[in-house]
Amino acid sequence: MGKSVNSPSQQQSSAAFAGPQADTAPPTPGPVDKAMEVLAALAGPGAPHRLADLARTTGLAKPTVHRLLRALAGTGYAEPATGGSYRPGPRLLGLAASVLADDAAMRSVGPVLDELRVRTGLFASYAVRDDRTVIHLDVRAPAQGLGLDLRPGFREPVTDGAAGIALLAALPDGEIEALWAGPDGAPVDGAAHAALAAAARDGYAFDGADVRLDRRALAAPVRDAVGHTVGALVLTGLAFTLDESAAQLYGPTVRSAAAAVSASVAAESGARLGLVADPERRISATGSAIGTDGAGETR
């Protein structure tokens, strides 16, 4: 029997939303937790994935990952590839496609993204928050491509750009602080406060300082029937295609498009555009904490 291991996402969640019993050890991940971590890693970019890479991403031991992969492959959720690597299986792909196709809000988003892409010549995407990351669920690329690798499923830290700012700006201050700080405990600095305030004031966020990728993004929040922010419409381009002047031009356009999607979401039953919060301590749409119980397993 080996020692119990927390996956990277569970470690982050425990640090951010620790309650009055913060000194209590987090629950040991059970078999379902581990299988979900492997599935999430399997669906990440760069497939097919090697066993060693999946073990490193999930924080699980190679024998555990190998056992789970064999079980997932047996049920169609994973598929063996060359050299002992694995990729998402047809059953997993089918589930993802059916969920997105059946969602009323996703059907509303598609035409809006196409119009934004044509009108601006930029990448247009729809993004939601998953704890401390932003996931782009639908991406419409311009004809020229712009040399950016932005595809459905692309993830980025919630603090890294306009999409995250747009999603965070409507949250209570305490929740923003917890998400921003992360496991390193870095507080929200003056620049971040200014960006959040500007997003709340203008109805859209612009990231004009992504020096790592030389790209820029502009995003506006999508809200549900009661006004809670559930996602964001995002425009992404290289610095020379989306500068300050372009942001001032496109900002109101994206804000209006997000308002149109919000109205469609409010009118449609079954729309499920929403965030996925911390699995150990979920934050409801109203900002209140919802506790969950977890079963433990040592391996």
Side-chain angles (χ1 to χ4, degrees):
M1 180 184 301
K3 65 179 182 179
S4 61
V5 174
N6 286 333
S7 68
S9 62
Q10 288 167 327
Q11 291 170 352
Q12 291 179 355
S13 298
S14 300
F17 295 106
Q21 300 178 349
D23 56 342
T24 303
T28 303
V32 174
D33 301 308
K34 296 172 185 177
M36 292 301 100
E37 289 292 340
V38 172
L39 270 180
L42 195 66
H49 301 282
R50 298 183 304 161
L51 175 63
D53 294 333
L54 293 171
R56 182 169 55 254
T57 300
T58 60
L60 300 171
K62 287 184 182 180
T64 301
V65 175
H66 187 247
R67 173 174 54 83
L68 290 170
L69 285 171
R70 291 180 61 184
L72 291 169
T75 53
Y77 289 100
E79 185 175 71
T82 58
S85 59
Y86 285 82
R87 60 189 172 211
R91 194 170 184 184
L92 178 59
L93 297 174
L95 282 176
S98 63
V99 168
L100 293 177
D102 191 49
D103 190 86
M106 290 302 295
R107 293 195 296 271
S108 300
V109 164
V112 174
L113 294 179
D114 281 333
E115 183 177 354
L116 286 172
R117 173 184 59 83
V118 171
R119 291 182 64 179
T120 66
L122 302 169
F123 280 85
S125 60
Y126 180 77
V128 297
R129 179 170 69 86
D130 176 9
D131 196 19
R132 290 194 186 85
T133 64
V134 172
I135 307 173
H136 294 254
L137 297 183
D138 194 350
V139 179
R140 307 298 169 98
Q144 67 273 25
L146 298 179
L148 294 178
D149 185 19
L150 182 60
R151 296 172 291 175
F154 178 81
R155 285 177 176 263
E156 58 187 332
V158 73
T159 58
D160 262 15
I165 294 293
L167 291 169
L168 291 178
L171 295 178
D173 289 343
E175 194 172 338
I176 294 174
E177 292 282 352
L179 284 165
W180 200 282
D184 298 329
V188 183
D189 57 22
H193 275 299
L196 290 164
R201 180 193 67 227
D202 300 334
Y204 64 87
F206 175 57
D207 172 21
D210 189 343
V211 296
R212 292 184 298 115
L213 298 175
D214 196 32
R215 73 176 188 182
R216 303 291 182 267
L218 186 152
V222 171
R223 304 177 188 276
D224 63 14
V226 293
H228 298 134
T229 299
V230 294
L233 294 184
V234 189
L235 288 179
T236 306
L238 294 173
F240 69 90
T241 63
L242 188 54
D243 56 13
E244 292 283 352
S245 59
Q248 292 178 11
L249 175 65
Y250 295 143
T253 300
V254 178
R255 182 179 60 205
S256 296
V261 174
S262 298
S264 179
V265 169
E268 294 253 18
S269 60
R272 294 171 297 170
L273 294 178
L275 63 87
V276 179
D278 166 24
E280 298 300 331
R281 184 177 175 82
R282 290 188 178 276
I283 302 298
S284 71
T286 60
S288 59
I290 304 174
T292 59
D293 295 327
E297 177 202 55
T298 57
R299 61 174 182 81

